Amino acid sequence: MSQAELTAHDRILADRARYVSAGVSTPRLVVAAAEGARVVDVDGRAFVDFAGGIGCQNTGHRFAPVVDAIHEQADRYLHQCFMVGVYEPYVAVCRRLAELSPCAGAEQKSVLVNSGAEAVENAVKIARAATGRPAVVVFDNAFHGRTLLTMTMTSKVKPYKAGFGPFAPEVYRAPAPYPYRGISSADAIAGLERLLTSDVDPATVACAVLEPVQGEGGFVPMPPDFPARLRELCDRHGILWVDDEVQSGVGRTGRVWAVEHYDGAVPDLLVSGKSLGGGLPLAAVTGRAELLDAVPTGGLGGTFGGNPLSCAAAAAVLDAVADEGFLAGARRLGETMRARLDALAGRYAWIGEVRGLGPMLALELEEQRPERAQAVVSAAFDRGLLLLACGLYGNAIRLLAPLTIAEDELDEGLGLLEEALAAAD
Ligand code: PLP
């Protein structure tokens, strides 16, 4: 077949195979356009989007205030580098993050970077500088990124770690609560106490990093008492608690930050990213001024961190998700979705659990193998629904619908999910 006879879809995928590293995993979808909860491919096929570019579209594709803010900013200036020329959009995002921060301390500051992994790395740098201690505690089923340190902190060998060692030193892993698989808060705290007795001196631990709802690990929300118990343990040993909300934050759970669902859970540092930039790359570390200022001047930064376009977009996103009406809508969305998922789960013995927090929801399949979840994702794609699997064993199906999704689109997407589950039965 000549180049001209190939569809745009096939031509782009052929070029992708020829020119792009096989190390990046890609789906069958080739995107031409996206708006709200819809993605349209290059052959004109429309999909309902429950993937959101992996949780980056809490306000939906091309959210109008974000697009307007980007246009306005593009007409003024693009890159400056905050270390070369101070610009207001960067400061404006840090001010909003300070106002919305769930962290301890009246005065909050932030640093802006490009990706979630970079933000987690910076949170560890800040914690090390502030405490003078080297070690980092992480948890089972964690995902914190793909850079050397964050890959080390991540808890899944294939595809994230296999062949990429040696890993960063001074990273210690504790059990995480996982009630569906029989691990309670008490088990996890006991495991952490044991780790601090058997493997690492708590006096050398700078921080413990926890996702309040584990994302890539399977949308596992921490049980109600766990964050406060972790807080108490950290306080006892002078360890800082880093709250990784790259996936669970920015309204995803029906609160601005997932940790706000938990009583007595006040982190020292917050890591945000993904939906923060409304579709542009932006991530942040936020916390009390004394921690953010513990790093000597020049110790934090980067060429593109907090670039003006991303900051303009993020200010619009934060204004939207901080609105109580927006959050109430997100919580209603979560209730509707959960009711539908519970009903669906009742039909199939192989669906083990419906779980999540607010509209951050997933179905975990009972068998710890990826095949059936992949079959559901594939059957959904064939019917016009974008879905993602997750979990240590790839056996959870997560739903990351935009929080702005219209009722009829949600209904359509859940109907397609219903068909996909039936097809995989
Ligand atoms: N932390 C969490 C909780 C995440 O879910 C992710 C990405 O999925 C990251 C960190 C890394 O973010 P990024 O892919 O932007 O580096």
Side-chain angles (χ1 to χ4, degrees):
M1 208 187 281
S2 74
Q3 274 294 100
E5 286 169 296
L6 288 174
T7 64
H9 179 270
D10 293 345
R11 180 178 49 73
I12 293 166
L13 285 190
D15 281 355
R16 179 261 177 267
R18 167 69 183 80
Y19 295 112
V20 182
S21 165
V24 185
S25 92
T26 44
R28 284 181 276 160
L29 175 69
V30 181
V31 177
E35 188 80 34
R38 297 262 174 202
V39 172
V40 179
D41 81 0
V42 284
D43 294 335
R45 225 184 126 201
F47 294 82
V48 177
D49 186 8
F50 281 5
I54 319 191
C56 297
Q57 299 291 350
N58 289 356
T59 49
H61 292 281
R62 299 189 74 254
F63 185 52
V66 164
V67 174
D68 290 347
I70 292 170
H71 280 148
E72 258 180 56
Q73 184 56 44
D75 287 339
R76 284 197 200 112
Y77 53 88
L78 300 176
H79 175 66
Q80 292 297 325
C81 185
F82 198 64
M83 298 176 297
V84 175
V86 170
Y87 43 88
E88 190 172 12
Y90 189 119
V91 181
V93 169
C94 294
R95 180 171 56 74
R96 283 169 174 77
L97 287 169
E99 287 162 5
L100 296 170
S101 175
C103 296
E107 273 185 52
Q108 298 281 311
K109 290 189 173 184
S110 296
V111 60
L112 304 183
V113 292
N114 300 293
S115 68
E118 197 185 348
V120 172
E121 292 252 355
N122 276 280
V124 171
K125 281 169 65 174
I126 292 164
R128 285 176 169 163
T131 60
R133 301 170 173 194
V136 178
V137 167
V138 292
F139 292 88
D140 283 340
N141 306 311
F143 185 91
H144 297 297
R146 293 168 175 272
T147 57
L148 175 61
L149 176 60
T150 59
M151 163 179 74
T152 308
M153 294 166 68
T154 285
S155 172
K156 185 169 180 173
V157 171
K158 282 189 183 160
Y160 303 129
K161 299 165 83 134
F164 299 142
F167 299 103
E170 292 298 328
V171 175
Y172 300 88
R173 190 172 309 283
Y178 199 158
Y180 174 59
R181 297 287 174 189
I183 303 167
S184 67
S185 275
D187 297 333
I189 291 289
L192 181 50
E193 302 268 21
R194 195 164 47 247
L195 182 82
L196 298 178
T197 307
S198 64
D199 284 311
V200 55
D201 176 359
T204 68
V205 178
C207 59
V209 187
L210 177 74
E211 299 158 80
V213 183
Q214 293 183 313
E216 303 302 303
F219 278 32
V220 187
M222 293 299 103
D225 62 328
F226 187 73
R229 292 177 80 170
L230 177 64
R231 172 79 272 174
E232 186 279 320
L233 187 143
C234 285
D235 284 346
R236 220 179 328 130
H237 297 291
I239 297 169
L240 298 175
W241 168 23
V242 178
D243 176 26
D244 181 349
E245 299 237 15
V246 169
Q247 193 153 169
S248 64
V250 194
R252 174 43 59 192
T253 66
R255 303 271 173 94
V256 179
W257 311 111
V259 76
E260 294 172 38
H261 290 270
Y262 294 90
D263 288 337
V266 180
D268 295 296
L269 292 170
L270 168 80
V271 179
S272 57
K274 286 193 184 275
S275 282
L276 178 63
L280 293 186
L282 189 72
V285 186
T286 302
R288 64 181 175 276
E290 119 212 8
L291 296 178
L292 270 285
D293 290 344
V295 181
T297 300
L300 303 177
T303 304
F304 279 114
N307 98 72
L309 288 181
S310 298
C311 288
V317 167
L318 289 173
D319 285 347
V321 301
D323 180 76
E324 198 32 58
F326 181 95
L327 293 172
R331 291 195 287 273
R332 277 197 303 278
L333 173 70
E335 283 159 22
T336 308
M337 288 171 72
R338 190 181 273 268
R340 285 283 291 272
L341 293 180
D342 281 340
L344 286 177
R347 287 189 209 161
Y348 303 105
W350 42 268
I351 299 181
E353 187 176 50
V354 178
R355 63 159 177 264
L357 205 51
M360 182 172 182
L361 289 165
L363 302 168
E364 177 166 345
L365 311 191
E366 199 171 15
E367 271 194 313
Q368 292 183 308
R369 307 151 42 92
E371 288 79 7
R372 200 188 303 252
Q374 275 314 323
V376 174
V377 171
S378 180
F381 183 86
D382 292 340
R383 288 160 178 76
L385 174 67
L386 302 179
L387 279 182
L388 295 169
C390 61
L392 184 59
Y393 299 98
N395 61 328
I397 298 158
R398 58 180 145 174
L399 278 71
L400 286 161
L403 305 173
T404 50
I405 192 168
E407 250 174 64
D408 56 337
E409 281 178 321
L410 177 69
D411 197 49
E412 183 186 340
L414 291 172
L416 295 171
L417 173 65
E418 189 171 344
E419 288 178 27
L421 291 169
D425 188 26

